[in-house]
């Protein structure tokens, strides 16, 4: 992997602080300015692509990704990242071409082999090749279980194929790893939201009678519901209590003081998340 230049390290550090504070619009502006100042830096283009996608500027994000991939054509690590972004944008054929280029470049001891194999699994999944996808996703998870997405994507595939027990075990492990990283200051709101995607979460809310459906919006319109049905809510919380439905990034940024969350209440692996683990790292 090519070394990161000092100016990129400084900008990336500023970006991490903004993301940790859930200041996604400010982060996008920071990185837009950065690629203007350093138009030949692949890493900045890919950081900017992720940041602009997070605020809903999808066409801009795809343009930045494609330019980042061009600049990283001889760098297997950054090209893996670019191919992943391109897959997120829905360009399966070009993503596959970039993956092929990474395999041409990558050494036998490629540091990011698990990420590359995971990407191959995601591409197979997008093409509807579930058996091939599972093989690659499982291999990536076994190589690097600490990367949150590796467990989540595999668990989602297992859930869809009816293997709920194994999916719960993998998903629970991925979530616990995320929370440990959050406590250590090594995870941010993106990581936590990624690990909890598809989970059911609730938190008590002191509201008046009838105040049972409050929604807080965010820039990219991605939400994780705090409840899935009135019956589940009632069983978990008891009668007479209200609830909130909010994006998880908003939860992490402004968690009600002293309130724990409960993931999948009533399920076989219901997990309580202590409030102090749900604040951004500083």
């Amino acid at each position: 992997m090519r070394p990161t230049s000092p100016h990129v390290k400084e900008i990336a550090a500023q970006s991490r602080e903004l993301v940790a504070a859930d200041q996604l619009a400010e982060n996008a502006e920071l990185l837009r300015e950065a690629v203007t100042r350093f138009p030949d830096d692949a890493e900045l283009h890919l950081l900017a692509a992720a940041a602009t996608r997070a605020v809903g500027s999808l066409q801009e994000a795809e343009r930045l990704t494609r330019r980042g991939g061009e600049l990283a054509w001889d760098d297997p690590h950054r090209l893996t990242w670019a191919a992943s972004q391109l897959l997120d944008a829905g360009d399966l054929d070009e993503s596959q071409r970039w993956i092929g280029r990474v395999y041409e470049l990558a050494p036998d001891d490629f540091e990011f082999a698990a990420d590359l194999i995971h990407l191959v699994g995601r591409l197979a999944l997008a093409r509807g090749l579930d058996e091939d996808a599972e093989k690659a996703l499982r291999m990536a998870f076994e190589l690097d279980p600490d990367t949150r997405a590796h467990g989540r994507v595999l668990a989602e595939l297992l859930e869809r194929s009816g293997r709920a027990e194994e999916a719960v075990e993998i998903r629970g492990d991925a979530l616990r790893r995320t929370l440990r990283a959050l406590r250590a200051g090594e995870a941010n709101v993106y990581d936590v939201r990624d690990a909890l995607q598809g989970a059911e979460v609730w938190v008590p809310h002191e509201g008046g009678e009838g105040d049972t459906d409050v929604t807080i919006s965010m820039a990219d319109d991605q939400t994780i519901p705090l409840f899935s049905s009135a019956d589940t809510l009632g069983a978990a919380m008891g009668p007479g209590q209200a609830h909130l439905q909010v994006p998880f990034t908003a939860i992490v940024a402004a968690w009600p003081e002293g309130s724990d969350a409960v993931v999948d209440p009533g399920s076989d692996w219901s997990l309580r998340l202590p409030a102090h683990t749900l604040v951004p790292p500083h």
Side-chain angles (χ1 to χ4, degrees):
M1 174 180 168
R2 293 175 182 171
T4 300
S5 59
H7 66 265
V8 174
K9 288 182 179 179
E10 181 180 351
I11 293 167
Q14 295 173 24
S15 174
R16 286 193 296 271
E17 290 179 1
L18 291 171
V19 170
D22 206 27
Q23 296 178 341
L24 303 187
E26 292 84 350
N27 184 47
E29 285 305 313
L30 169 74
L31 292 165
R32 285 182 178 119
E33 181 183 348
V35 295
T36 301
R37 291 169 54 202
F38 304 102
D40 296 325
D41 192 292
E43 188 167 348
L44 284 177
H45 276 77
L46 298 176
L47 285 169
T52 52
R53 183 174 293 109
V55 296
S57 299
L58 302 185
Q59 290 184 340
E60 180 184 13
E62 185 173 346
R63 177 181 60 78
L64 288 162
T65 292
R66 291 183 186 279
R67 179 56 180 157
E70 292 172 1
L71 293 168
W73 196 244
D74 294 321
D75 181 337
H77 165 242
R78 293 182 177 88
L79 192 57
T80 300
W81 184 12
S84 178
Q85 290 189 357
L86 202 58
L87 180 58
D88 288 338
D91 192 338
L92 275 58
D93 291 339
E94 190 68 357
S95 179
Q96 183 168 347
R97 187 172 79 89
W98 289 10
I99 291 169
R101 173 64 175 170
V102 173
Y103 273 103
E104 292 176 5
L105 297 170
D108 292 339
D109 59 349
F110 187 39
E111 182 180 357
F112 301 96
D115 294 325
L116 179 58
I117 294 168
H118 179 73
L119 180 55
V120 170
R122 287 177 50 216
L123 179 62
L125 199 60
R127 294 193 183 280
L129 305 172
D130 285 5
E131 186 174 336
D132 292 341
E134 182 180 339
K135 289 178 182 177
L137 294 173
R138 192 178 293 278
M139 184 182 298
F141 178 67
E142 290 171 354
L143 285 172
D144 180 15
D146 287 324
T147 295
R148 271 71 69 179
H150 292 178
R152 179 181 60 81
V153 178
L154 175 59
E156 288 172 355
L157 175 58
L158 294 171
E159 285 172 346
R160 286 198 300 274
S161 61
R163 286 168 286 173
E165 185 174 339
E166 186 180 4
V168 163
E169 181 179 349
I170 291 173
R171 191 156 154 258
D173 180 67
L175 179 55
R176 286 175 175 85
R177 290 174 185 273
T178 300
L179 292 175
R180 286 197 294 270
L182 185 64
R183 292 188 190 104
E186 298 169 355
N188 59 39
V189 290
Y190 289 136
D191 296 321
V192 177
R193 184 176 64 189
D194 196 47
L196 281 171
Q197 189 68 43
E200 178 184 352
V201 185
W202 64 262
V203 60
H205 170 59
E206 294 297 331
E209 186 176 352
D211 181 17
T212 59
D213 192 2
V214 180
T215 299
I216 302 171
S217 64
M218 64 181 289
D220 61 6
D221 289 332
Q222 296 188 49
T223 64
I224 294 176
L226 297 184
F227 65 97
S228 59
S229 70
D231 290 340
T232 302
L233 178 69
M237 300 181 66
Q241 295 197 59
H243 63 270
L244 291 170
Q245 178 175 319
V246 301
F248 200 75
T249 46
I251 296 174
V252 174
W255 190 259
E257 184 177 356
S259 294
D260 294 350
V262 175
V263 181
D264 289 347
S267 76
D268 291 337
W269 78 288
S270 180
L271 177 66
R272 182 170 291 275
L273 312 184
H276 73 273
T277 69
L278 296 169
V279 295
H282 296 291

